[in-house]
Amino acid sequence: MTPLTLALLGLGTQTGCVFGTSPLEGVWIFFVSADYTVNSDSDCSENYNDASCPGGSSGGESPWTYTYETEQDTDTFVAQIVGLGGGQAAMFVNDLILTGEKGDGGNWVFTYENFVNSDSTEQHEDGYSLTETADETETLRFRLDRAGGTFTGTMEVISSAERTWTETDVWSADDVGIYDTQVPASTYLVHDDNGFVDNDYEEADCANGECELSISGTTQVIVDVTAERTDINQEGDLDALEDDGDYDWDLGGGLVSGS
């Protein structure tokens, strides 16, 4: 347990009692359903003259049939919840701190969000520039209804990312020292004539004097969860349980089923 966790718990130095009398506070065992829903979408934009973002194919019926079935047990993990007063709380799970807001009745929403935004530019005095921006966000959210010592609700994992490249269309390769495009257009775009998508330094390959490519996508995974409040209220007991459970976490890549 981290010092921050201990401080927020307000441990009693004499009794060793971890939690107060609130039915919200305590160590909870969460049960994760084996069934979950995945929603995803992506977007692509570009200004290349002879290439485009991939669309749907229009071929005949495929001769292949694919079948996939899986069965697994209910996974578990341990979380601790601490009331902060004023209709707020904190949940500690998977080395993360989620902030909680109380709604109507016994409804609570706990949220963790992390984002990274970056912007890099390289520019040559002889007429070449490349700009790359990347925005990534990951969110873990629990929507829980409490009835006494029981929670029912959902766990939601959202991962989103957007990357944009802007590169000079025509430049003097001998002066700049760059002979190949640094935009990964061939990875994402489809050439109109089934050729290789490129930004040749000698030719105008894009509109408006610069080649631009933007790729974005979002994945949302929603899974049902239930939780039971335990009777654990001693610091030593909590230390022994905080890493228990068989649920496998992977925030950056969405939800991964437990082992």
Side-chain angles (χ1 to χ4, degrees):
M1 184 183 301
T2 65
L4 175 60
T5 304
L6 291 172
L8 287 176
L9 288 175
L11 298 176
T13 57
Q14 295 181 349
T15 64
C17 182
V18 176
F19 300 105
T21 59
S22 168
L24 173 71
E25 294 184 312
V27 175
W28 294 76
I29 298 179
F30 278 77
F31 302 89
V32 184
S33 171
D35 300 322
Y36 54 87
T37 301
V38 179
N39 301 308
S40 62
D41 63 77
S42 60
D43 191 26
C44 166
S45 63
E46 48 77 35
N47 71 339
Y48 283 72
N49 295 330
D50 298 320
S52 59
C53 297
S57 60
S58 57
E61 291 188 6
S62 171
W64 292 96
T65 298
Y66 300 94
T67 301
Y68 176 77
E69 295 181 358
T70 183
E71 292 184 3
Q72 66 183 57
D73 62 344
T74 300
D75 292 328
T76 59
F77 63 86
V78 176
Q80 61 190 78
I81 298 177
V82 181
L84 301 178
Q88 296 184 330
M91 177 189 290
F92 300 86
V93 60
N94 188 37
D95 295 327
L96 304 176
I97 301 177
L98 288 74
T99 57
E101 297 285 343
K102 187 177 186 300
D104 297 332
N107 176 57
W108 282 84
V109 178
F110 292 91
T111 303
Y112 164 84
E113 184 173 79
N114 185 40
F115 70 89
V116 176
N117 299 331
S118 62
D119 189 341
S120 62
T121 300
E122 56 181 87
Q123 188 169 358
H124 195 281
E125 62 182 10
D126 289 324
Y128 174 86
S129 67
L130 172 71
T131 299
E132 180 178 351
T133 63
D135 299 330
E136 300 180 6
T137 302
E138 56 184 12
T139 302
L140 173 63
R141 180 177 292 113
F142 291 86
R143 303 182 187 273
L144 304 171
D145 291 315
R146 182 180 61 81
T150 302
F151 274 132
T152 58
T154 60
M155 179 174 63
E156 179 182 23
V157 180
I158 304 174
S159 301
S160 62
E162 180 177 3
R163 297 186 68 183
T164 301
W165 297 266
T166 304
E167 183 180 47
T168 303
D169 192 354
V170 178
W171 70 92
S172 174
D174 291 335
D175 294 335
V176 174
I178 295 177
Y179 293 85
D180 297 313
T181 179
Q182 298 188 78
V183 179
S186 59
T187 301
Y188 297 102
L189 303 183
V190 178
H191 196 280
D192 293 344
D193 298 323
N194 297 321
F196 182 78
V197 181
D198 194 13
N199 176 22
D200 192 304
Y201 66 88
E202 293 182 314
E203 300 179 4
D205 298 289
C206 306
N208 305 323
E210 291 182 323
C211 288
E212 300 176 356
L213 173 63
S214 180
I215 302 294
S216 63
T218 299
T219 300
Q220 177 195 47
V221 180
I222 302 176
V223 57
D224 291 333
V225 297
T226 60
E228 298 291 336
R229 187 182 187 274
T230 72
D231 293 330
I232 297 170
N233 62 2
Q234 299 296 319
E235 176 186 351
D237 294 335
L238 184 60
D239 288 339
L241 289 174
E242 62 180 342
D243 293 325
D244 284 357
D246 61 352
Y247 181 73
D248 192 4
W249 298 85
D250 182 16
L251 270 189
L255 194 67
V256 176
S257 62
S259 55

